Amino acid sequence: MLWLGIESSCDETAIALVKTVAGKNMVMADLCITQAPLHKPFGGIVPEYAVREHSKNLPLLLQNMIRSKSLNLKEVQAIAVTEGPGLMASLLVGNAFARGLALGLGIPVFGVNHLEGHLFSPFIGREEKLKFPFLGLVVSGGHTLLAKVEGPRQYSMIGSTIDDAAGEAFDKVARLLGLSYPGGPEIEKQAERGNPHSHSFPISLIEKNNYNFSFSGLKTAVKYFIEKNKESLSKKEFLADVCASFQESVARVIQEKTIAAAKSFSLSLIAASGGVLANKRIRELLEKKAHEEGIEVLFAKRQFCTDNAVMIAFVGALFYALGLPITKSFELNPNFSLSDFKTQANTNRF
Ligand code: KG4
Ligand code: ZN
């Protein structure tokens, strides 16, 4: 079975091909155009520009894929498309494109929650590692969450951010430091030359036995610190030290919360994904503590950490193989949460 994946929920326009052969889902194509340079001057995403770019880039990417893979579109048997969460207008572009294609080709469409795309992305190319239940950790620009995954569309939320997502904190701190958008990779680059213990920023763990995250206190602490030390910002070492210390605080929070949740819910496998988990120091600290506790951590490969369409096609292919039929109806939902699968009694809403 050949799946076409389409992702357009935020500022990446992506399409991918995943082929199921003898029970294995193989990545046949992975194309993405990021809009980061376009949104850079604004320090965040401008929805109007995002929509224009998606509309322009989706047909371009498809043409490229057809040419580079000598693909005959008629070979595609199903489409998986992100139906939320994300920017409503961006979601609409991807869904209209998917629906139009599906109609023309006479094939079905499978709506995928963007977060479940991230949740299962660590298993791309390593399905043999997939065993339920596992602890899903997603740390991205829009979300920071921990969920117990007991099966496809059987998610129990364990914790999420009560204010800023970790990626958002990276982006905002980067902006305060005069670094460009997206801030995560910029801060990581600076942090490589810095001392993570030069400044002690808060490590917000809230209460024990509470797995929610909070990053706004940390962001504010960095903001005040920068305001107090404005004249030092031009010094390279100072900038590197602030970046390293901020990154260390985020890494420690993620490490502590995730391992505590895994222990408390007796989950011996953590599947970790999302843009922020492309960060080497955050991966390193989590891996270290998990190892000490005898817990396995499977990180999404770096190219699948940030938004991509492979994870969307992969969820379609994987769930179909696990016996979930393909949906006929779909609802776009910019606030689509993982808990909605339970509350709408739509674990099998196909
Ligand atoms: O998963 P993603 O591509 O998009 C969302 O679904 O949000 O995540 C984007 C976020 C941005 O906030 C970006 O600054 C952050 O991931 N990010 C990083 C790194 N690479 C991307 N944060 C820390 N370190 C990185 N290396
Ligand atoms: Zn994402």
Side-chain angles (χ1 to χ4, degrees), residues 7 9-10 12 114-115 118 138 140-143 274-275 305-308 311:
E7 159 62 41
S9 62
C10 200
E12 259 90 30
H114 179 81
L115 295 171
H118 279 303
V138 180
S140 72
H143 301 88
C305 271
T306 45
D307 287 351
N308 64 87
M311 67 184 191

Side-chain angles (χ1 to χ4, degrees), residues 71-89:
L71 172 75
N72 179 345
L73 259 189
K74 289 193 178 129
E75 293 167 41
V76 175
Q77 288 158 295
I79 297 178
V81 61
T82 306
E83 57 178 354
L87 295 171
M88 187 58 175

